[in-house]
Amino acid sequence: MAAVSGVSMPGCSPARELGPGAQSAGAPTPGDRSKMEESTESEKQSRVSALLDRLHAKHCAARPWQETSKVVRQAMEKRGVPNAGGHQLLLTCLETLQRALKVSSLPAMTDRLESIARQNGLGSHLSPSATECYITSDMFYVEVQLDTGGQLVDVKVAHHGENPASCPELVQHLRDRNFEEFSKHLKGLVNLYKLPGDNKLKTKMYLALQSLELDLTKMMHMFRLATNANTVETILHGSVGLLTSRSGGHLVTLQCYVSPYDVFEEGTGALLNLTDSNVPRSLGVSVSVTIEGTSSVYKLPIAPLITGSHPVDNKGTPSFSSVTNSNCVDLPACFFLKLQQPMPFSLSFIHRMGNATGKAWSMALLQQTEILNPNC
């Protein structure tokens, strides 16, 4: 190859033999190239312009959101083997769009409610008039009643086997268009039924929790009846503290301690006028009352155990009925008190709680807990 490329024939150049005329006929001049580039660029602009015209013509009329939402939902519900990642991405995009839209009509309101239901793994359907939206599960449902303009009328919650009851807290959230808090309530309802067993067993566990809630409420009222305690005194000295009833997805809370910083106004030092109706759930130290599944079986009440409505002494002590097979059943569950925030306890106090409740703390659980060295 090197020998061939090195051969030269002076005077016999093809360009020289063809002459100037041939060169101009075979290769475009700079002027021709410029005209060709201009022509190509003009064709590109014409194609882009035509494409934009077609897009404008297709979407010149604003399509209502209800129609767009319906088309997207139909596309999502088509049978087949969907791409899991793409399907979830489409759901996320749709929910983001719905959160960004202002809810000012009946279709917009029902679309938002159905979207919130999907986010929490719940079903939903509308009444024939589309003015009632039902958010459903196997164990409960939420009924949202609307007028024809999309304004809220009422929100009712019905647990398994119960009649629907109005929930003022959910009503206020939806009237304020506070969909985030409404979604938190739905999540709380879902978590309430994360229990082992079938629906029949879950219903018994719910009845056990309901019975405990009724007894705790009676204990608070009996303490107040015997001592005439106000709100702060009930929190600090009551047998169960101040009880706030379960509402929507919020569990029963027992507020059992407030510090002086909680009851005095910051800056002025004036004593706050705290009443049962204006005490926030987050005030002071509080615990939530719930029931959860366990690996062991416990005898739990399925009916209230406190008899009568008056205490037996001046401290508000109630009278309890004896535990029998008619008011208690064996269930793979146990009641739990859940602190709103982690709290340090001394090991001696943990043993005292175990002695008071008759439930020994397992060493395995204590080993999982961070134990502080008292000498540090």
Side-chain angles (χ1 to χ4, degrees):
M1 293 292 292
V4 174
S5 63
V7 175
S8 62
M9 298 181 64
C12 297
S13 169
R16 186 174 298 176
E17 290 180 358
L18 290 174
Q23 291 182 47
S24 62
T29 63
D32 292 337
R33 283 197 298 270
S34 177
K35 289 179 181 179
M36 291 173 62
E37 290 173 358
E38 289 178 0
S39 176
T40 303
E41 186 65 27
S42 177
E43 290 176 359
K44 286 182 179 179
Q45 291 180 354
S46 297
R47 287 197 297 269
V48 171
S49 179
L51 179 60
L52 289 174
D53 288 341
R54 288 198 299 272
L55 288 173
H56 284 305
K58 184 177 181 180
H59 300 284
C60 60
R63 179 175 294 181
W65 170 248
Q66 184 180 8
E67 184 181 346
T68 302
S69 177
K70 182 179 179 181
V71 171
V72 173
R73 190 182 294 109
Q74 287 175 347
M76 291 166 55
E77 292 175 352
K78 283 184 178 178
R79 296 187 178 274
V81 185
N83 183 303
H87 184 72
Q88 185 58 43
L89 181 61
L90 184 60
L91 280 175
T92 303
C93 291
L94 181 60
E95 289 160 3
T96 302
L97 285 171
Q98 288 179 329
R99 284 195 298 269
L101 291 172
K102 184 179 179 180
V103 176
S104 56
S105 65
L106 179 60
M109 185 66 164
T110 54
D111 280 346
R112 180 65 64 87
L113 293 173
E114 289 179 326
S115 173
I116 294 172
R118 284 195 300 271
Q119 292 172 32
N120 289 280
L122 298 168
S124 63
H125 64 272
L126 301 177
S127 65
S129 63
T131 54
E132 288 89 26
C133 180
Y134 296 90
I135 299 173
T136 60
S137 78
D138 290 340
M139 301 304 299
F140 70 90
Y141 71 87
V142 177
E143 177 185 349
V144 182
Q145 298 176 356
L146 307 164
D147 63 20
T148 54
Q151 297 302 311
L152 188 71
V153 176
D154 197 5
V155 181
K156 296 182 178 182
V157 179
H159 293 272
H160 189 73
E162 293 183 359
N163 294 323
S166 182
C167 181
E169 204 165 340
L170 293 182
V171 169
Q172 191 59 48
H173 288 323
L174 286 185
R175 280 187 178 154
D176 295 340
R177 297 297 192 260
N178 192 343
F179 297 107
E180 184 177 353
E181 285 300 318
F182 180 76
S183 180
K184 288 180 181 178
H185 274 273
L186 293 183
K187 184 177 181 181
L189 288 168
V190 171
N191 291 337
L192 180 62
Y193 288 103
K194 284 187 176 178
L195 298 167
D198 56 15
N199 291 351
K200 186 177 180 180
L201 191 61
K202 289 181 181 180
T203 300
K204 289 182 179 179
M205 294 179 187
Y206 174 76
L207 289 175
L209 177 63
Q210 196 175 49
S211 301
L212 175 65
E213 292 171 349
L214 292 172
D215 280 341
L216 290 173
T217 303
K218 270 193 174 182
M219 290 175 71
M220 182 188 72
H221 289 319
M222 286 185 179
F223 171 80
R224 286 185 148 179
L225 187 64
T227 62
N228 198 28
N230 60 25
T231 299
V232 175
E233 291 169 345
T234 303
I235 294 175
L236 295 175
H237 307 296
S239 51
V240 296
L242 180 69
L243 183 145
T244 304
S245 300
R246 177 159 46 88
S247 176
H250 285 165
L251 298 169
V252 163
T253 57
L254 304 176
Q255 288 165 291
C256 48
Y257 175 76
V258 288
S259 73
Y261 296 103
D262 295 321
V263 297
F264 289 98
E265 186 177 358
E266 187 177 355
T268 64
L271 183 65
L272 294 173
N273 182 25
L274 292 176
T275 63
D276 292 4
S277 59
N278 67 4
V279 174
R281 287 176 179 263
S282 58
L283 180 71
V285 178
S286 61
V287 294
S288 299
V289 181
T290 188
I291 187 170
E292 293 184 2
T294 58
S295 56
S296 302
V297 174
Y298 296 93
K299 188 174 289 294
L300 300 181
I302 55 172
L305 297 180
I306 294 180
T307 58
S309 57
H310 290 78
V312 298
D313 56 24
N314 59 359
K315 296 180 181 179
T317 305
S319 173
F320 292 93
S321 59
S322 57
V323 174
T324 64
N325 291 331
S326 61
N327 58 23
C328 294
V329 295
D330 292 330
L331 294 171
C334 188
F335 299 127
F336 284 81
L337 294 177
K338 291 195 169 184
L339 289 163
Q340 303 296 327
Q341 295 179 346
M343 179 182 294
F345 285 92
S346 67
L347 193 58
S348 62
F349 187 77
I350 292 175
H351 290 310
R352 284 173 57 194
M353 285 195 296
N355 293 334
T357 59
K359 305 293 182 185
W361 289 67
S362 67
M363 290 307 298
L365 179 61
L366 291 176
Q367 288 171 0
Q368 295 173 8
T369 307
E370 182 180 1
I371 299 178
L372 302 179
N373 188 343
N375 298 323
C376 293

